[in-house]
Amino acid sequence: MLNIQINGVDVQVKHGTAIIDAAAESGIVIPRFCYHKKLSTVASCRMCLVEVEKMPKAMPACATPVAEGMKIHTKSPKALNAQRGVLEFLLINHPLDCPVCDQGGDCPLQEASLGFGGGVSHYDFDKRVLHNPDFGPLVATDMMRCILCTRCIRFSREIAGVDDISTAGRGENIRIASQTGHPLTSELSGNLIDLCPVGALTSKPARFTGRPWEYQHRSALGPHDSFGSHLQLDVRGTKVMRVVARECEEINETWLSDRDRFSYQGLYSADRLTTPRIREKGIWREVDWSTALEFVANGLQQVRKTHGAPALGALVAPTATLEESYLIQKLIRTAGSPHIDHRLRQRDFSDQAHDPVFPWLGGAITALEQKTAFLVVGSYLRKEHPLVNHRLRKAVLRGAHAMFLDAVDRAYNYPTSVSMVVPPSAWERSLLAVAKAAHAITGRAIPTGLDALWESIECEAIHRTTAEHLVNAASAVLLLGNVAHAHPRFGALRNLANAVAELTGASVGYLPEGAGTVGAWLTGCVPHRGPGGKTVTVGQDWHTMVTGGVKGLLILGAELERDCADPSAALKGLHQAAFVVSLSPWVSPAQEAYAHALLPIAPYAETSGTYLNLEGRWQSFQGVVAPLGETRPAWKVLRVLGNLMDLSGFDYFSSDQVLAEAREAIGEVTPNNAMPCVVPAAISSETPALERFGEVPPYAQDALVRRASALQATPDGRVPIAARMHSATLAGCGLIEGAQVSVRQGEGVVRLPIIVDDRVAKGCVFVPSASVETAALGPVVGGAVTVVAV
Amino acid sequence: MFDTIARYLKSLFLLELLGGLAVTGRYLFRHKLTIQYPEAHTPLSPRFRGLHALRRYPNGEERCIACKLCEAVCPALAITIESDQREDGTRRTTRYEIDLFKCIYCGACEESCPVDSIVETSAFEYTFERFGEHIMTKSDLLKHGDQYEQRIRADRAADARYR
C-alpha cells in the first residue's frame, strides 16, 4: 500500500493504481472520456488532467500511477484550468445538436461541459464535416459528434476481437472509419453504444424514440443463452424502450451480447398473441380467459378420460423460468402422467440414465479465464454463447489452446490451435482418436472397452496435437455445445468426451442451450428425473411423445416447427394429437394449424421468475412492464389450470411461493458433471456419402429473438436458406454454385439454392435449421441426404 | 342641539345627493376606460401567453425536432410527446399533445424550446364544446401556427430586445 494525498486527504491505495481509480475510491470524480476500466489506457482525451505536486505540468490521471507521498489536487486552479482548456478544445468540432442527439441527457460530454467547461468558445471558424459510415442495423453513427476517444476501436480490438474499425486520416482529418466498409459483424457490437461517451454511436433500433430522463431503469436477466447476463431495461410507461448492460463482474462484466441487448424488439412484434384463442370445429375465435381455461381444462380432462392419464404430456421451451418449469411438471405429474420434457433440440436419449443432476459449465464463469486448453465439441461458441467465448478468448490471449470439433471451420476472434472439421458422423471417431493419442502420452488406465473401440482408429497428427494440448494443460476443459446435444448419437459422444477427459485429466462442461435449461433440469422437466434429480417413473422423451405417444399436449413457449431437433416428425405428430394447447407469447401459422387452444403468456420482461445460469447461480427477476393486452404470466395460467383440473396443491398467490416450493422440492444439489464413463458398445458405422448439418442460426434460437427485426437484419440474422457445401463435395455431386437443387432427407424434400462454402466439412450439406423453409427436412444434425439438381 | 340642526339642513338641501351626482357628472365627461368587448379589444402585451401553437419554417417544414425539453420542463405535465425517425432520417414527433385543462400557461415550454417551435400565441378566445376537445393534437397546434404566424412573428419581433 502507498500513502498518497488527494485534495488534502490522506489515503492508502494499492501499488500500481492509476490516480483516476485512486480518486474514485475516495469518492472524487475526475472527468474522463477515453478511460474505461475494461480497456487499455491511451490517455488521448486529456480530460482527466490533474495537478500533482512537484510535477511541472498537469498529469493525465488515467495514465499516471500513484507513487509514495504523491500529493494530488483535482480541484486546484491549475487542474481546473487544464480541464477547461481541454474541454474547449474537444468542443471545437462538436456540433451543438444536443436537442436531436439520442445521447442528450445521458451524455458524459454534456455533464463535463456543465461541470468543468467554460461556456464560451474562442473558436469561430468552420467546423469539421464528416461522412457517417454504415455500421449496420444495430449501431447508428454520427461522426460529427465524435471526440476521438477511440474507446470503440479499443473495444473492437481488445474485447470483440475484430479489427473492423480504426482511425483514418491524420491531424484535423482524423476520423473513425470502418476498415471493411461493411456493417459490424461482431456479436458484441451493441456495447459500442454503451461505451461511446458522446452521441457518435447510438442505438439504431431505439433511435429518436425516447429521452434518457423519461426512462425508469429496471433490472432483468438475459433471456436467451444460459449465461444469465444482467440487463437494465429502460421502461417508459408500459413499454421497454431499450436495454443496456448492468455491471456484474462475476458474470457479464460490463458487456452484453447483441442478442440480449436488442431482442426486446420482439416483445412488440405484430404477431404477439394478446387474447386467448380457442379452435372449435376448425374455426379460431378469441375468447376471455375463463372460457379459454375451461376449454383447455375440459379438453385435457377429456383426453385423460378417453385415453388414460398417461396420454397427457408437456413440452417446455428452454426459455421457461424455473417457476414455470416447476409448475408444468407438477401439473403433468399430478395429473398422472410421467411425460414431460424440455430437451427439444436433443435427439439421442439412450444414455439419459447417466445424465448429471443438471448439466452445467463445471465451474465458475470467471474460472474460464484461467483455462489453459479447451476443446469445444459441436458449438459455434462465438454466436451461441458470446460471453462464454469472450471469457475463453481472454484465456487464449494468455496462451491457452483453443480447440474445436465441428462440421464447419468457424471464424473465431482468436487464434485456434486445432480445428477438427469433420461431418457429425465422424465426431465419435475423432474423439476416440484423441482418446487413443492421449493414452499413448499419459498411459492412464483405459476405461473398460475403449481399447476395443479404438483398435481400428488411426491417430492423425491433429488428434495427437489435441491430446498433447489437453494433457499438458494445467487446467483443461471439454465443452459440449448445442450441436453436440442435437447429435444423433449424443450419448456416445458424451461418453467419449468423458473418456477423453479421464485420459487427459481434463474436466467436462456443458453449455446449456437456453436461459431456462438449467432450471428445467433441476425442477424435473425431464421424463426420467423429478425435482432435484429424484427418481421418478420414467416417461417419454419429447420425440416419442410427439410421434404418437401422447394424445393431449401442453406446449409451453415453444414453436415446435422451429424449436425442435426434428420439426417434420414433430409437426406430423402434432397434427395427429387429439388436443394440443400452446402457451405462447406469440402466434405462428404452424401453431394455428396444430393447436386447439392458444393461451397468451408473458415473455421475459412481463413476468417474474428465476433463471439458473450455466454455473448454477440462482437469479430472480421481477416483471418490469405490465403484460401486453390480455397476456398473463405463465405461472398464473398453470396455477388456474391446475385448479380447474381439480388437482391439489395449486394455490399460489405469487411466483415467490412457487419458487419457495420449488427450492424445497429441489433441495440441496451439488452440481457434478463427472459421471462414470460408460463406453458405448460400438461407434457409429454409418458414413453416408452426404450428411445433413443444420445448426440453429445465431438469431433464430428462440421465439423472441426471431422477432427482433434489427437483429434479423444483421449478417448473422440473414443466414441464407440454402444448401452450403464444400467445393469438393459439390464437384463430386456434379453440381454448380447457384443451382437450384432438391435436398431430400428421409421423406422430406426441400428446394434450395446451392452456395459454395469451403468452410463446411467435406461430405456435409449445411442447411440451417429453425426455419420454416427447412422444417420439412428431418433431424437437423446427421442423417443421410441426397442432393439432386432440378 | 347644534348637530341636529346641521343634519336637518343637510337633508333639506340634498347635499349628499348632489355630492354623489357631482362624481357621476365628473366621470360623465371623462375619457372612457370600458372596452366594448367583443366589438373592441384591450391591448395585449407581446408577451401574452395564450393558446399554444407549433411553428413552421418559411419553407413549410415543421420546426419541432422532438427534443422533448418542453415535455420535461412542463410543471403541469400537460405535454405528451412521442417521437420517431421520419423517412428522411430526421427526428420528428409522431404525437404532440397539450392538455389545455392541465396547462397553467406558464410559458416554460416556449422558453425551453431550442428551435422556437412551441409558442404561446396571443389568442385566448377559444371554447370547447365537447370533452376531449381540450387536448390539442399536433395537427391542431400546427394549424394554430399557420393561422397566427403573422401575430407570432410580430410579437417575437416586438419583444426581441429583451430576449
Side-chain angles (χ1 to χ4, degrees):
Chain A
M1 297 299 268
L2 299 172
N3 299 300
I4 60 165
Q5 204 183 60
I6 306 180
N7 292 351
V9 181
D10 290 316
V11 286
Q12 280 201 324
V13 290
K14 262 194 267 173
H15 188 85
T17 316
I19 293 177
I20 203 164
D21 291 328
E25 278 171 34
S26 325
I28 295 165
V29 180
I30 298 177
R32 84 282 304 266
F33 298 117
C34 70
Y35 177 74
H36 189 276
K37 62 182 174 184
K38 291 281 171 193
L39 302 175
S40 61
T41 307
V42 289
S44 68
C45 74
R46 316 303 285 184
M47 190 62 220
C48 62
L49 291 177
V50 292
E51 183 185 355
V52 180
E53 278 183 23
K54 293 179 189 159
M55 288 200 184
K57 289 183 176 177
M59 300 300 288
C62 66
T64 313
V66 290
E68 181 64 36
M70 203 179 235
K71 286 185 180 157
I72 302 152
H73 301 281
T74 69
K75 298 279 178 200
S76 68
K78 188 174 172 183
L80 290 177
N81 198 29
Q83 290 167 358
R84 197 162 47 241
V86 165
L87 201 57
E88 188 182 339
F89 193 60
L90 286 175
L91 287 171
I92 275 183
N93 281 314
H94 193 82
L96 289 173
D97 64 347
C98 300
V100 289
C101 176
D102 268 339
Q103 193 88 350
D106 196 10
C107 177
L109 185 62
Q110 259 184 342
E111 280 162 28
S113 303
L114 202 64
F116 304 91
V120 179
S121 176
H122 298 92
Y123 182 86
D124 52 3
F125 304 98
D126 289 341
K127 293 200 177 209
R128 172 187 64 161
V129 177
L130 288 177
H131 167 74
N132 293 329
D134 180 14
F135 277 6
L138 303 177
V139 181
T141 56
D142 202 323
M143 287 307 164
M144 291 280 287
R145 300 179 186 142
C146 178
I147 56 164
L148 291 160
C149 69
T150 69
R151 271 190 191 183
C152 51
I153 296 175
R154 281 175 286 145
F155 172 80
S156 298
R157 286 190 187 153
E158 292 164 17
I159 307 294
V162 287
D163 210 1
D164 51 5
I165 47 180
S166 66
T167 52
R170 295 199 301 178
E172 205 212 12
N173 295 319
I174 193 167
R175 61 199 179 272
I176 305 291
S178 164
Q179 292 243 39
T180 55
H182 298 300
L184 304 179
T185 53
S186 170
E187 62 287 347
L188 303 173
S189 62
N191 292 301
L192 294 178
I193 299 164
D194 285 356
L195 281 174
C196 185
V198 296
L201 303 175
T202 52
S203 164
K204 214 175 236 183
R207 191 162 168 82
F208 296 165
T209 53
R211 298 302 242 163
W213 58 77
E214 301 177 304
Y215 299 148
Q216 290 177 306
H217 308 306
R218 302 287 172 81
S219 308
L221 292 174
H224 301 292
D225 53 25
S226 51
F227 202 70
S229 296
H230 287 202
L231 319 182
Q232 175 186 305
L233 304 192
D234 283 352
V235 174
R236 189 179 72 193
T238 56
K239 207 172 167 197
V240 178
M241 301 301 288
R242 65 172 186 183
V243 175
V244 295
R246 198 152 52 90
E247 192 175 336
C248 177
E249 192 54 35
E250 294 84 41
I251 302 176
N252 55 318
E253 299 169 80
T254 55
W255 316 124
L256 274 192
S257 63
D258 287 355
R259 193 167 48 195
D260 286 342
R261 185 184 298 269
F262 295 108
S263 69
Y264 72 92
Q265 279 191 307
L267 297 174
Y268 306 106
S269 74
D271 57 354
R272 185 73 195 270
L273 185 66
T274 50
T275 323
R277 292 191 204 172
I278 59 172
R279 187 170 64 164
E280 282 176 317
K281 299 189 184 111
I283 294 163
W284 281 106
R285 63 192 181 93
E286 296 192 340
V287 291
D288 56 24
W289 267 106
S290 56
T291 317
L293 286 166
E294 257 166 51
F295 176 81
V296 169
N298 288 341
L300 293 175
Q301 295 286 40
Q302 195 64 38
V303 170
R304 194 147 75 136
K305 244 179 252 161
T306 328
H307 304 280
L312 295 179
L315 303 178
V316 184
T319 47
T321 63
L322 179 115
E323 287 83 349
E324 292 163 8
S325 302
Y326 177 76
L327 276 186
I328 196 162
Q329 68 84 27
K330 183 174 173 185
L331 183 86
I332 288 294
R333 291 207 165 107
T334 320
S337 168
H339 309 316
I340 171 110
D341 207 352
H342 78 279
R343 303 164 297 175
L344 305 181
R345 292 224 169 93
Q346 190 174 329
R347 277 184 48 228
D348 177 25
F349 305 100
S350 57
D351 191 43
Q352 66 179 13
H354 299 111
D355 280 331
V357 180
F358 69 94
W360 74 308
L361 186 63
I365 288 170
T366 43
L368 286 175
E369 291 177 21
Q370 312 305 327
K371 298 291 171 200
T372 47
F374 59 91
L375 171 61
V376 179
V377 180
S379 171
Y380 189 8
L381 195 64
R382 189 175 164 190
K383 305 289 176 183
E384 262 173 31
H385 297 276
L387 291 171
V388 171
N389 188 59
H390 162 64
R391 295 278 187 173
L392 288 173
R393 181 172 179 274
K394 287 197 204 174
V396 174
L397 296 185
R398 287 194 187 130
H401 290 288
M403 294 169 283
F404 295 91
L405 173 57
D406 207 338
V408 180
D409 189 10
R410 316 283 188 175
Y412 277 95
N413 48 0
Y414 43 81
T416 52
S417 299
V418 172
S419 190
M420 292 180 269
V421 183
V422 287
S425 65
W427 288 4
E428 286 167 80
R429 286 198 296 281
S430 297
L431 282 180
L432 213 48
V434 173
K436 190 176 178 182
H439 174 69
I441 302 168
T442 59
R444 290 194 196 200
I446 306 168
T448 331
L450 201 65
D451 43 354
L453 277 185
W454 74 36
E455 214 166 8
S456 60
I457 302 282
E458 293 262 341
C459 281
E460 292 165 27
I462 198 167
H463 304 126
R464 279 192 290 273
T465 321
T466 310
E468 261 170 44
H469 289 327
L470 287 174
V471 169
N472 295 338
S475 167
V477 65
L478 277 84
L479 293 169
L480 295 167
N482 293 1
V483 189
H485 284 83
H487 194 277
R489 285 175 56 81
F490 169 65
L493 204 63
R494 179 177 60 182
N495 277 311
L496 290 172
N498 280 337
V500 172
E502 247 180 74
L503 287 166
T504 57
S507 61
V508 173
Y510 296 83
L511 298 168
E513 181 195 351
T517 303
V518 173
W521 271 99
L522 265 183
T523 50
C525 260
V526 277
H528 58 297
R529 300 270 175 78
K534 292 181 185 73
T535 320
V536 288
T537 326
V538 178
Q540 294 168 350
D541 59 72
W542 75 269
H543 198 264
T544 323
M545 259 191 254
V546 293
T547 49
V550 299
K551 299 290 172 209
L553 257 179
L554 268 176
I555 303 173
L556 179 66
E559 297 174 327
L560 281 199
E561 71 277 15
R562 288 162 162 235
D563 285 335
C564 74
D566 192 353
S568 64
L571 286 180
K572 211 162 124 194
L574 286 171
H575 284 297
Q576 285 160 0
F579 193 67
V580 178
V581 184
S582 187
L583 287 81
S584 167
W586 298 275
V587 56
S588 67
Q591 276 176 327
E592 281 182 328
Y594 62 66
H596 298 87
L598 285 163
L599 303 180
I601 56 163
Y604 83 112
E606 300 173 9
T607 184
S608 55
T610 304
Y611 280 145
L612 268 73
N613 76 350
L614 42 66
E615 50 177 1
R617 187 189 290 254
W618 294 65
Q619 301 187 105
S620 292
F621 56 92
Q622 296 295 318
V624 302
V625 284
L628 202 65
E630 289 295 302
T631 306
R632 294 286 175 271
W635 70 265
K636 286 190 183 173
V637 177
L638 292 168
R639 180 193 79 100
V640 179
L641 217 48
N643 287 335
L644 288 176
M645 288 174 74
D646 296 326
L647 307 174
S648 61
F650 279 88
D651 302 312
Y652 304 100
F653 293 104
S654 71
S655 64
D656 291 344
Q657 272 181 320
V658 185
L659 176 63
E661 191 183 306
R663 250 184 202 281
E664 205 171 305
I666 292 166
E668 277 298 308
V669 174
T670 324
N672 186 8
N673 284 339
M675 303 311 282
C677 169
V678 185
V679 175
I683 56 163
S684 166
S685 54
E686 196 190 349
T687 44
L690 277 181
E691 64 182 285
R692 165 93 188 271
F693 182 74
E695 63 166 14
V696 180
Y699 297 143
Q701 185 195 359
D702 56 54
L704 176 63
V705 72
R706 285 196 290 264
R707 287 169 172 82
S709 48
L711 285 175
Q712 294 307 321
T714 61
D716 281 336
R718 285 183 284 114
V719 172
I721 303 299
R724 276 194 272 172
M725 294 159 83
H726 192 280
S727 50
T729 322
L730 202 64
C733 301
L735 297 166
I736 49 160
E737 178 162 24
Q740 283 283 330
V741 292
S742 78
V743 178
R744 174 185 290 275
Q745 182 182 3
E747 287 168 17
V749 183
V750 172
R751 268 183 72 155
L752 296 168
I754 281 207
I755 294 178
V756 173
D757 186 349
D758 284 352
R759 287 181 168 272
V760 179
K762 286 174 194 164
C764 256
V765 183
F766 186 136
V767 181
S769 62
S771 94
V772 178
E773 290 89 339
T774 62
L777 294 175
V780 297
V781 177
V785 291
T786 52
V787 180
V788 187
V790 286
Chain B
M1 178 67 190
F2 186 75
D3 280 358
T4 319
I5 294 165
R7 205 159 49 234
Y8 178 75
L9 287 175
K10 232 181 190 176
S11 61
L12 183 71
F13 293 106
L14 301 172
L15 284 180
E16 285 179 337
L17 179 66
L18 289 172
L21 279 173
V23 173
T24 311
R26 236 177 4 255
Y27 276 90
L28 192 65
F29 298 102
R30 273 216 185 149
H31 175 68
K32 308 290 184 297
L33 279 179
T34 311
I35 298 283
Q36 289 305 311
Y37 183 81
E39 283 80 28
H41 286 84
T42 49
L44 288 182
S45 157
R47 295 180 186 177
F48 187 86
R49 300 192 298 263
L51 186 64
H52 308 70
L54 282 172
R55 294 177 73 195
R56 292 178 190 276
Y57 287 111
N59 66 1
E61 176 63 277
E62 55 177 304
R63 283 173 177 254
C64 180
I65 48 167
C67 73
K68 300 201 180 193
L69 288 177
C70 50
E71 188 190 37
V73 81
C74 180
L77 306 181
I79 306 181
T80 312
I81 298 175
E82 277 169 23
S83 62
D84 210 339
Q85 190 166 0
R86 202 170 62 179
E87 275 167 25
D88 61 0
T90 56
R91 181 187 186 109
R92 298 291 166 191
T93 55
T94 52
R95 178 181 176 201
Y96 191 113
E97 289 178 0
I98 298 184
D99 185 340
L100 292 186
F101 283 0
K102 286 185 185 168
C103 179
I104 56 165
Y105 302 91
C106 65
C109 50
E110 184 176 344
E111 279 193 42
S112 68
C113 187
V115 287
D116 287 342
S117 176
I118 182 75
V119 290
E120 293 204 59
T121 65
S122 48
F124 60 91
E125 298 145 313
Y126 48 88
T127 54
F128 310 121
E129 290 177 356
R130 272 181 212 91
F131 190 82
E133 287 177 3
H134 61 289
I135 293 177
M136 296 286 118
T137 61
K138 185 181 175 185
S139 59
D140 292 338
L141 293 164
L142 281 169
K143 206 165 70 192
H144 299 162
D146 297 340
Q147 190 181 342
Y148 299 116
E149 180 56 31
Q150 298 292 338
R151 270 161 76 176
I152 296 169
R153 200 177 298 163
D155 286 347
R156 298 290 162 297
D159 200 32
R161 280 183 63 193
Y162 312 104
R163 286 178 171 251

